[in-house]
Coordinates of all heavy atoms in Angstrom, one line a residue:
V224 N 16.6 -1.9 15.8 CA 15.4 -1.4 16.3 C 14.5 -1.1 15.1 O 14.8 -0.2 14.4 CB 15.5 -0.2 17.2 CG1 14.1 0.3 17.7 CG2 16.5 -0.4 18.4
Y225 N 13.5 -1.9 14.9 CA 12.7 -1.8 13.7 C 11.9 -0.5 13.7 O 11.4 0.0 14.7 CB 11.7 -2.9 13.5 CG 12.5 -4.2 13.2 CD1 12.6 -5.2 14.2 CD2 13.1 -4.4 12.0 CE1 13.3 -6.4 14.0 CE2 13.8 -5.6 11.8 CZ 13.9 -6.6 12.7 OH 14.7 -7.7 12.5
N226 N 11.8 0.2 12.5 CA 11.0 1.4 12.4 C 9.6 1.3 12.9 O 8.9 0.3 12.6 CB 11.0 1.9 11.0 CG 12.3 2.5 10.5 OD1 13.1 3.0 11.4 ND2 12.5 2.6 9.2
P227 N 9.1 2.2 13.7 CA 7.7 2.2 14.2 C 6.8 2.6 13.0 O 7.2 3.3 12.1 CB 7.7 3.2 15.3 CG 8.8 4.2 14.9 CD 9.9 3.4 14.3
I228 N 5.6 2.1 13.1 CA 4.6 2.5 12.0 C 3.2 2.5 12.7 O 2.9 1.7 13.5 CB 4.7 1.6 10.8 CG1 3.9 2.2 9.6 CG2 4.2 0.2 11.1 CD1 4.3 1.6 8.3
V229 N 2.4 3.5 12.3 CA 1.1 3.7 12.9 C 0.2 3.9 11.7 O 0.3 4.9 11.0 CB 1.0 4.8 13.9 CG1 -0.4 4.9 14.4 CG2 2.0 4.7 15.0
I230 N -0.7 3.0 11.4 CA -1.6 3.1 10.2 C -3.1 2.9 10.7 O -3.4 2.0 11.4 CB -1.3 2.0 9.2 CG1 0.1 2.1 8.7 CG2 -2.3 1.9 8.1 CD1 0.3 3.3 7.7
D231 N -3.9 3.8 10.2 CA -5.4 3.7 10.4 C -5.9 2.7 9.5 O -5.7 2.7 8.3 CB -6.1 5.1 10.2 CG -5.6 6.1 11.2 OD1 -5.4 5.7 12.4 OD2 -5.5 7.3 10.8
K232 N -6.6 1.7 10.0 CA -7.2 0.6 9.2 C -8.2 1.1 8.3 O -9.1 2.0 8.6 CB -7.8 -0.5 10.1 CG -6.7 -1.2 11.0 CD -5.6 -1.8 10.2 CE -4.6 -2.5 11.2 NZ -3.5 -3.2 10.5
V233 N -8.2 0.6 7.0 CA -9.2 1.1 6.0 C -9.7 -0.2 5.3 O -9.0 -1.1 5.1 CB -8.5 2.0 4.9 CG1 -9.5 2.4 3.9 CG2 -7.8 3.1 5.6
D234 N -11.0 -0.2 5.1 CA -11.7 -1.3 4.4 C -11.2 -1.4 3.0 O -11.2 -0.4 2.2 CB -13.2 -1.2 4.4 CG -13.8 -1.3 5.8 OD1 -13.1 -2.0 6.6 OD2 -14.9 -0.8 6.0
K235 N -10.7 -2.6 2.6 CA -10.2 -2.8 1.2 C -11.4 -2.9 0.2 O -12.4 -3.5 0.5 CB -9.4 -4.0 1.2 CG -8.8 -4.3 -0.2 CD -7.8 -5.4 -0.2 CE -7.5 -6.0 -1.5 NZ -7.3 -5.0 -2.6
K236 N -11.2 -2.2 -0.9 CA -12.2 -2.2 -2.0 C -11.8 -3.2 -3.1 O -10.6 -3.1 -3.5 CB -12.5 -0.8 -2.5 CG -12.9 0.2 -1.5 CD -13.0 1.6 -2.0 CE -13.3 2.6 -1.0 NZ -13.3 4.0 -1.5
E237 N -12.7 -4.0 -3.5 CA -12.3 -4.9 -4.6 C -12.6 -4.2 -6.0 O -13.6 -3.7 -6.2 CB -13.2 -6.2 -4.6 CG -12.9 -7.0 -3.3 CD -11.5 -7.6 -3.3 OE1 -10.9 -7.7 -4.4 OE2 -11.0 -7.9 -2.2
I238 N -11.5 -4.1 -6.8 CA -11.6 -3.4 -8.1 C -11.1 -4.3 -9.2 O -10.0 -5.0 -9.0 CB -10.9 -2.1 -8.1 CG1 -11.5 -1.1 -7.1 CG2 -10.8 -1.5 -9.5 CD1 -10.7 0.2 -6.9
K239 N -11.8 -4.5 -10.3 CA -11.3 -5.2 -11.4 C -11.1 -4.3 -12.6 O -11.9 -3.4 -12.7 CB -12.3 -6.4 -11.8 CG -12.4 -7.4 -10.6 CD -11.2 -8.1 -10.3 CE -11.3 -9.0 -9.1 NZ -10.0 -9.7 -8.8
P240 N -10.2 -4.5 -13.4 CA -9.2 -5.5 -13.5 C -8.2 -5.5 -12.3 O -8.4 -4.7 -11.4 CB -8.4 -5.2 -14.8 CG -8.6 -3.8 -14.9 CD -9.9 -3.4 -14.4
I241 N -7.2 -6.4 -12.3 CA -6.2 -6.4 -11.3 C -5.5 -5.0 -11.2 O -5.0 -4.5 -12.2 CB -5.2 -7.5 -11.5 CG1 -5.8 -8.9 -11.4 CG2 -4.0 -7.4 -10.5 CD1 -4.9 -10.0 -11.8
I242 N -5.5 -4.4 -10.0 CA -4.9 -3.1 -9.8 C -3.6 -3.3 -9.1 O -3.5 -3.8 -8.0 CB -5.8 -2.2 -9.0 CG1 -7.2 -2.0 -9.7 CG2 -5.1 -0.8 -8.8 CD1 -7.1 -1.4 -11.1
L243 N -2.5 -2.8 -9.7 CA -1.2 -2.8 -9.1 C -0.9 -1.3 -8.8 O -1.3 -0.4 -9.4 CB -0.1 -3.3 -10.1 CG -0.3 -4.7 -10.7 CD1 0.8 -5.0 -11.6 CD2 -0.4 -5.7 -9.6
M244 N -0.1 -1.2 -7.7 CA 0.3 0.2 -7.3 C 1.8 0.2 -6.8 O 2.2 -0.8 -6.2 CB -0.6 0.7 -6.2 CG -0.5 2.1 -5.8 SD -1.7 2.7 -4.6 CE -3.2 2.5 -5.5
S245 N 2.5 1.3 -7.1 CA 3.8 1.5 -6.7 C 4.0 2.9 -6.3 O 3.3 3.8 -6.8 CB 4.9 1.1 -7.8 OG 4.8 -0.3 -8.1
A246 N 5.0 3.2 -5.4 CA 5.4 4.6 -5.1 C 6.9 4.6 -5.0 O 7.5 4.1 -4.0 CB 4.8 5.0 -3.7
T247 N 7.6 5.1 -6.0 CA 9.0 5.0 -6.1 C 9.6 5.9 -7.1 O 8.9 6.3 -8.1 CB 9.4 3.5 -6.4 OG1 10.8 3.4 -6.4 CG2 8.8 3.1 -7.7
R248 N 10.9 6.2 -7.0 CA 11.6 6.8 -8.1 C 11.9 5.6 -9.1 O 12.0 4.5 -8.7 CB 12.9 7.4 -7.6 CG 12.7 8.7 -6.8 CD 14.0 9.4 -6.5 NE 14.8 8.7 -5.6 CZ 14.6 8.7 -4.3 NH1 13.6 9.4 -3.7 NH2 15.4 8.0 -3.4
L249 N 12.1 6.0 -10.4 CA 12.2 4.9 -11.4 C 13.7 5.0 -11.9 O 13.9 5.6 -13.0 CB 11.2 5.1 -12.5 CG 9.8 4.8 -12.1 CD1 8.8 5.2 -13.2 CD2 9.6 3.4 -11.6
N250 N 14.6 4.4 -11.2 CA 15.9 4.1 -11.6 C 16.3 2.7 -11.3 O 15.5 2.0 -10.7 CB 16.9 5.2 -11.0 CG 16.8 5.2 -9.5 OD1 16.7 4.1 -8.9 ND2 16.9 6.4 -8.9

C-alpha cells in the first residue's frame, strides 16, 4: 500500500545558475 501524499501545488520559479537541492543526513 503506497504511502499517501498531499501537496499544495506551487508555481515553479526559474532561477539561474542551475539550482540543486537535497534534504538528507550525510552518511
Side-chain angles (χ1 to χ4, degrees):
V224 180
Y225 294 104
N226 281 339
I228 194 162
V229 182
I230 296 291
D231 296 324
K232 299 299 182 181
V233 181
D234 291 335
K235 180 171 166 39
K236 301 174 183 176
E237 294 296 335
I238 297 178
K239 299 298 178 183
I241 293 173
I242 302 298
L243 305 179
M244 189 176 294
S245 298
T247 181
R248 290 187 292 278
L249 292 174
N250 53 40

